[in-house]
């Protein structure tokens, strides 16, 4: 199966450099770039008015100065929120990033993007894919983009929009259990993204033997993670990639 010629780094910054900057913000991606990361993982979902924005939770409480649901905000209301001060005073005034703004920054920095389609409860996978995937395909070359999700409907919609040679799809797993092979084959996936705490040697080996790239989230302790490199993990998606310096195979 032909895939984009993606050269994955060993480490991908999770939600941007989220150990050192407010997650999923432009500041977090600039921090990742400044720290030498060449790829970031970011979550995308839709505001209530259909604007795609970079945000993880269904709600606003954890990472902004407000509360309520993302789905109840339009862009002007979302822009009024401070999404940096919760993390630290240095980030006060940070605004929620639209997908388009984020794509421009990533393109300018020459970075790669693992864009996670985050389909929170009650939200439409199709609407998210129709807004987010064409924009990402327009902004970045195929070798610097993976679109990933836990949600198979979202991945299937994305595959409808672009063939495997044009769009790398990453299938997210908590545990890589029964049915993983069928799931990946149906989606013509490029990669498997597995929770590092639940990934076993046998699954890792099977994924690699079948020719998939293997990514693992979200290790932050390089010593505890060390044995997974030997199992064939290609890339770790970490909040703090710099901790892995001197700990790579
Ligand atoms: O894409 C890997 C990882 O981000 C999945 O979990 O909840 O951090 O989006 P979460
Ligand atoms: Mg994510």
């Amino acid at each position: 199966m032909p895939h984009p010629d993606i050269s994955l780094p060993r480490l991908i910054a999770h939600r941007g450099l989220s150990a050192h900057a407010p997650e999923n913000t432009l500041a977090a991606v600039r921090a990742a770039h400044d720290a030498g990361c060449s790829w970031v993982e970011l979550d995308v979902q839709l505001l209530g008015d259909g604007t795609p924005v970079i945000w993880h939770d269904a709600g606003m409480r954890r990472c902004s100065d407000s509360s309520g649901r993302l789905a109840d905000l339009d862009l002007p209301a979302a822009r009024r929120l401070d999404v940096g001060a919760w993390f630290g005073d240095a980030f006060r005034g940070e605004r929620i990033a639209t997908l388009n703004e984020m794509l421009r920054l990533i393109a300018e920095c020459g970075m790669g993007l693992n864009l996670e389609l985050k389909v929170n409860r009650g939200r439409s996978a199709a609407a998210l894919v129709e807004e987010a995937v064409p924009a990402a395909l327009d902004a970045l070359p195929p070798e610097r983009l993976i679109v990933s999700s836990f949600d198979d409907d979202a991945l299937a919609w994305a595959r409808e929009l672009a063939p495997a040679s044009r769009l790398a799809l990453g299938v997210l797993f908590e545990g890589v259990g029964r049915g993983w092979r069928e799931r990946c084959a149906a989606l013509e996936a490029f990669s498997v993204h597995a929770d590092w705490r639940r990934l076993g040697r046998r699954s890792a080996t099977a994924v690699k033997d079948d020719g998939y790239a293997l990514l693992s989230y979200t290790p932050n302790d390089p010593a505890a993670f060390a044995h997974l490199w030997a199992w064939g993990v290609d890339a770790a998606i970490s909040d703090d990639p710099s901790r892995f310096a001197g700990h790579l195979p």
Side-chain angles (χ1 to χ4, degrees):
M1 192 190 310
H3 283 296
D5 188 13
I6 292 176
S7 170
L8 278 174
R10 281 295 195 187
L11 296 159
I12 295 174
H14 182 239
R15 308 183 192 171
L17 195 66
S18 59
H20 297 286
E23 64 179 58
N24 280 321
T25 61
L26 297 168
V29 171
R30 287 194 197 99
H33 183 59
D34 291 349
C37 300
S38 58
W39 277 65
V40 289
E41 185 267 2
L42 299 168
D43 305 291
V44 65
Q45 48 183 320
L46 299 184
L47 293 174
D49 66 4
T51 307
V53 292
I54 305 301
W55 198 254
H56 179 277
D57 296 357
M60 308 311 295
R61 184 180 301 277
R62 185 174 62 87
C63 297
S64 85
D65 59 350
S66 187
S67 58
R69 298 185 329 143
L70 185 83
D72 292 335
L73 298 175
D74 60 12
L75 186 58
R79 289 290 206 196
R80 285 195 285 273
L81 307 185
D82 185 310
V83 301
W86 70 273
F87 190 87
D89 277 346
F91 299 98
R92 191 172 295 282
E94 187 75 25
R95 299 292 141 184
I96 198 166
T98 65
L99 174 64
N100 284 336
E101 286 171 334
M102 189 59 91
L103 288 169
R104 271 198 299 278
L105 174 62
I106 288 171
E108 273 166 29
C109 293
M111 299 177 87
L113 172 63
N114 168 12
L115 184 65
E116 185 189 339
L117 301 166
K118 188 62 87 184
V119 185
N120 282 319
R121 194 187 301 270
R123 307 302 307 278
S124 162
L128 174 58
V129 169
E130 279 165 20
E131 288 300 325
V133 173
L137 286 168
D138 278 353
L140 297 173
E143 60 275 12
R144 288 202 274 120
L145 177 67
I146 299 173
V147 168
S148 61
S149 192
F150 286 106
D151 188 294
D152 278 6
D153 289 341
L155 291 171
W157 277 104
R159 179 54 77 227
E160 292 276 312
L161 295 182
S165 58
R166 177 67 184 86
L167 175 61
L169 290 182
V171 186
L172 272 156
F173 292 86
E174 286 173 350
V176 181
R178 200 186 297 270
W180 75 267
R181 190 171 266 123
E182 293 72 20
R183 203 179 155 204
C184 289
L187 294 162
E188 295 180 90
F190 165 76
S191 50
V192 166
H193 304 203
D195 185 332
W196 80 277
R197 294 161 304 181
R198 297 183 58 180
L199 182 61
R201 183 170 57 82
R202 193 181 303 189
S203 303
T205 305
V207 166
K208 292 306 299 174
D209 285 349
D210 277 25
Y212 296 104
L214 179 56
L215 290 74
S216 192
Y217 62 92
T218 311
N220 293 314
D221 177 348
F225 188 76
H227 59 285
L228 278 86
W229 298 119
W231 295 348
V233 170
D234 295 292
I237 306 170
S238 173
D239 299 324
D240 198 1
S242 61
R243 288 192 203 167
F244 287 76
H247 292 270
L248 293 176

